[in-house]
Amino acid sequence: IDAYGVLNPAKLWRLVVLVMLVGAIAHVALRIVGNRWGLPLAGFFSGYVSSTAATLNSASTAKTDPTLTSPALAAALLANAASLSLFIPILLAMAPGYLQTIGIELAAAITVLILLSAFGMRHGNQVVTESPVAQKRMFRIQHALALVAIIAAVLFLTAALNRLLGPNWAVVLIMLTAGAELHAALVGFTELYNSGALPYAKWGLFGLLLASSVVKTVIAWVAGGRDFALRFAAAMATTLAVVAAVTLLD
C-alpha cells in the first residue's frame, strides 16, 4: 500500500497474530514453570515476550541477592536464546529465503546461549520465583500492534533509505533499531535481502546480535552491577565469536 511496495497489510497482521500467539504460549508456560522450575526457565519464557525486559529483571535479581547471580545470568541468557528462536517463525512469515541464509549461524547462536546458561541452571532449580511477566494479561493486543507498527516504520524507512541513499544507510538504521527492538531490525534486514540490496546478508545476524548485545550489556551494568554485567558481556561475546566463526566457515 506504499510507494516502495513493502507495506503488506496481510503480512503485517499475520505478525500481529504471531506475536499474540507466542506471548500467550509464554504466559501459560510462565504460569506453569515460574514457581516450579526456577529462575532460568522462567527467564527463557520471558524472553519470548521481551528479552530486554527479561535481561533487566535478571540483572535486578542478581543485584538484590548476589547469591542468585548464576541462575539470574542463566535466565538472561536463556531469554536471549528464546528471543533468537522467535526469528524462525518471523522469517518463515516474511522471508523464508533469509532463514536458509542465516540458519546455521542462528542455530549456533541459540546453542551457545543454552550451553552457557547450563552453568547457572544447576543452581536455579531450587530458586522459587514468579516472573513479573506472568502477572500481566495473556493477550496484549496493544503490545502486538505497537511492535508491528515499529516493524512497519522500519520497513518503510529501510526501503526509503535504500532507494534514496543506498543500502549502507539503511543498514545503519537497522543497527540502531536492533539496540531497541531486535525483531523489528530483523524484518528490516529481510526487506534489504528481498530487494537484493544486501550483498553481505550472511553477516546480518552477527550485526543484529552485536548491536543488541551492547545495549543489553549497558542495561545489565546499570541494573545488575559490574560482576553481573561482565559475566553477561563475556557470554554474549562468546556467542558473537562463535557466530562470526560459523559465518566465515559457511
Side-chain angles (χ1 to χ4, degrees):
I1 59 174
D2 64 294
Y4 300 106
V6 296
L7 298 182
N8 184 323
K11 283 189 175 182
L12 291 175
W13 186 251
R14 197 178 305 154
L15 285 179
V16 172
V17 177
L18 173 64
V19 170
M20 291 182 64
L21 173 63
V22 172
I25 294 173
H27 178 94
V28 173
L30 279 171
R31 299 296 295 181
I32 294 173
V33 310
N35 286 323
R36 295 183 183 181
W37 294 351
L39 187 60
L41 287 182
F44 175 81
F45 290 111
S46 295
Y48 281 115
V49 180
S50 172
S51 59
T52 301
T55 301
L56 173 62
N57 182 60
S58 297
S60 300
T61 299
K63 190 171 186 178
T64 301
D65 187 352
T67 63
L68 299 181
T69 296
S70 289
L73 178 64
L77 297 180
L78 285 173
N80 282 275
S83 181
L84 289 180
S85 70
L86 189 54
F87 278 30
I88 298 173
I90 289 177
L91 288 176
L92 285 174
M94 301 296 290
Y98 192 50
L99 178 59
Q100 295 180 354
T101 300
I102 64 169
I104 298 177
E105 292 81 356
L106 182 60
I110 295 172
T111 300
V112 171
L113 286 170
I114 291 175
L115 289 176
L116 290 175
S117 69
F119 293 102
M121 282 285 286
R122 58 185 177 182
H123 302 293
N125 290 337
Q126 289 75 39
V127 180
V128 176
T129 182
E130 178 73 19
S131 170
V133 178
Q135 302 301 321
K136 299 180 180 179
R137 295 174 58 187
M138 178 182 296
F139 293 104
R140 293 185 293 159
I141 184 66
Q142 295 90 343
H143 173 267
L145 289 174
L147 174 59
V148 175
I150 294 172
I151 288 175
V154 171
L155 273 173
F156 182 81
L157 291 174
T158 299
L161 285 175
N162 182 38
R163 185 81 60 85
L164 298 174
L165 300 176
N168 289 335
W169 283 100
V171 170
V172 171
L173 170 67
I174 291 170
M175 290 297 101
L176 292 176
T177 304
E181 176 47 58
L182 188 59
H183 300 114
L186 171 68
V187 176
F189 249 106
T190 65
E191 165 54 25
L192 291 181
Y193 176 83
N194 289 335
S195 67
L198 199 62
Y200 40 89
K202 290 290 289 184
W203 287 96
L205 179 64
F206 178 84
L208 293 175
L209 276 177
L210 177 61
S212 179
S213 297
V214 170
V215 172
K216 288 175 181 174
T217 298
V218 173
I219 291 174
W221 188 291
V222 173
R226 179 175 177 272
D227 180 55
F228 181 87
L230 289 177
R231 293 175 65 179
F232 179 81
M236 298 308 292
T238 302
T239 304
L240 285 167
V242 171
V243 171
V246 172
T247 303
L248 288 170
L249 293 173
D250 185 14

